Amino acid sequence: MINQKGQKLKIGIALGSGSARGWAHIGVLHALKELGIEPDIVAGCSIGAFVGAAYASGQLDTLDEWSRTLGWKEIVGFFDLSLSKGGLIQGEKLFSFISEKLGEPDIEELSLKFASVATELDTGREVWLREGSLLDSVRASLAFPGLITPVKHHNKWLIDGGLINPVPVSLCRAMGADIVIAVNLNGDLMRDNVKAFSLKEDSSELIESAKPSFFERLSTPLKLEINKHKNFLTSKLFNQDENTPGVFEVMASSINIMQDRITRSRMAGDVPEIIISPKLSQLGLLEFDKAEMAIEEGRKSVERVRTVIEDELAQLT
């Protein structure tokens, strides 16, 4: 983008964390391109790092097509359980598959500037991953606490960047962005969308509500697998009292609360020029099988602020 003085203005996009809600980033990026807006700089956090990596490596369409084919059984198939490595899911199956889809380039080889955000486990320090393996960068940023095992990087253990910088506007600016578009997936999280479920007394079969969440569908196969190895953990990991939230419900709500508060604080101190906020509070933490809905909402979220985007860019140029 060129301003009136003939200077090229670099557009950066900060793609925020939000687990399954992150498929909305795909719709946002497609919609922005249709408006003639193609960022020069991409900064991503957690799922935002994953989608941003696909975009920066020219594989967004591939990711779009793949995400729409995912069912919950396919997703569970990626879960290689690990009860002793800092997370329930080791992640080898998932990231091997991702490397097949997106390849394994180094960040320096990409045509766009890219970086992801991770958190140093021992110190809580924010880490910007701007060079080296693109896949390792994404994996570190995606290491959701307690769910996906941490990643060792330069002798430091790294976990999800959403703990400290859910929408990395500051990273975009540090990479030279003159205009920052922030995609905030945490704007309308605090709604009660926990769906009740119960277990039959005589079996491990799930009695589903009319519209079961991914948590409900995920809990039974995970329970059965864990029971093979650690029977005593079942009651602790998966609460069977429908009047009391289980571990995954508590984990999801806690992360939602934390990310909402951190996002508000960080963006108040470093205000982006444009904020896009998909409305996906109804989407659960691990409902990756609902990509089509999330992608469509990503498109709609751009359309809702289209006039604001066009006015803001017009003023800056």
Side-chain angles (χ1 to χ4, degrees), residues 117-278:
V117 177
T119 304
E120 192 174 291
L121 183 60
D122 291 338
T123 65
R125 184 174 66 92
E126 183 176 342
V127 178
W128 292 349
L129 300 169
R130 305 173 60 172
E131 57 186 22
S133 167
L134 179 65
L135 188 63
D136 288 348
S137 170
V138 171
R139 182 167 184 169
S141 192
L142 273 172
F144 190 92
L147 188 61
I148 299 177
T149 55
V151 174
K152 199 166 190 178
H153 180 76
H154 295 318
N155 294 318
K156 300 291 184 180
W157 288 106
L158 303 182
I159 55 175
D160 196 323
L163 294 174
I164 194 165
N165 195 357
V167 186
V169 175
S170 56
L171 177 52
C172 258
R173 298 221 189 270
M175 289 195 292
D178 300 298
I179 303 166
V180 176
I181 301 171
V183 186
N184 178 19
L185 303 177
N186 305 317
D188 67 336
L189 296 185
M190 306 320 299
R191 295 182 184 178
D192 183 8
N193 62 354
V194 177
K195 305 177 183 71
F197 68 92
S198 61
L199 294 173
K200 289 183 178 179
E201 294 180 358
D202 58 349
S203 74
S204 297
E205 181 179 353
L206 187 66
I207 302 175
E208 297 186 18
S209 58
K211 295 183 178 180
S213 70
F214 186 82
F215 278 123
E216 296 165 20
R217 290 175 287 175
L218 176 64
S219 63
T220 292
L222 280 179
K223 281 185 190 177
L224 294 176
E225 185 65 21
I226 289 174
N227 278 335
K228 293 178 184 178
H229 307 284
K230 301 285 183 179
N231 289 329
F232 73 93
L233 286 178
T234 304
S235 61
K236 296 181 181 297
L237 289 174
F238 302 97
N239 197 303
Q240 297 185 19
D241 180 0
E242 63 179 17
N243 296 317
T244 306
V247 166
F248 279 152
E249 284 85 0
V250 171
M251 183 188 299
S253 293
S254 298
I255 293 295
N256 285 347
I257 292 168
M258 178 194 69
Q259 290 191 343
D260 177 59
R261 298 300 184 265
I262 294 174
T263 299
R264 290 169 188 258
S265 176
R266 294 293 299 251
M267 289 177 64
D270 193 352
V271 183
E273 280 69 30
I274 297 165
I275 301 176
I276 299 172
S277 300

Side-chain angles (χ1 to χ4, degrees), residues 19 24 38 48 61 73 82 90 100 131 135 141 175 204 208 233 283 309:
S19 298
E38 298 186 60
D61 289 340
K73 290 183 180 179
S82 172
Q90 192 167 349
E100 291 177 9
E131 57 186 22
L135 188 63
S141 192
M175 289 195 292
S204 297
E208 297 186 18
L233 286 178
L283 197 62
I309 294 173

Side-chain angles (χ1 to χ4, degrees), residues 105-111 130-133:
D106 285 339
I107 294 173
E108 297 91 333
E109 298 172 1
L110 302 177
S111 59
R130 305 173 60 172
E131 57 186 22
S133 167

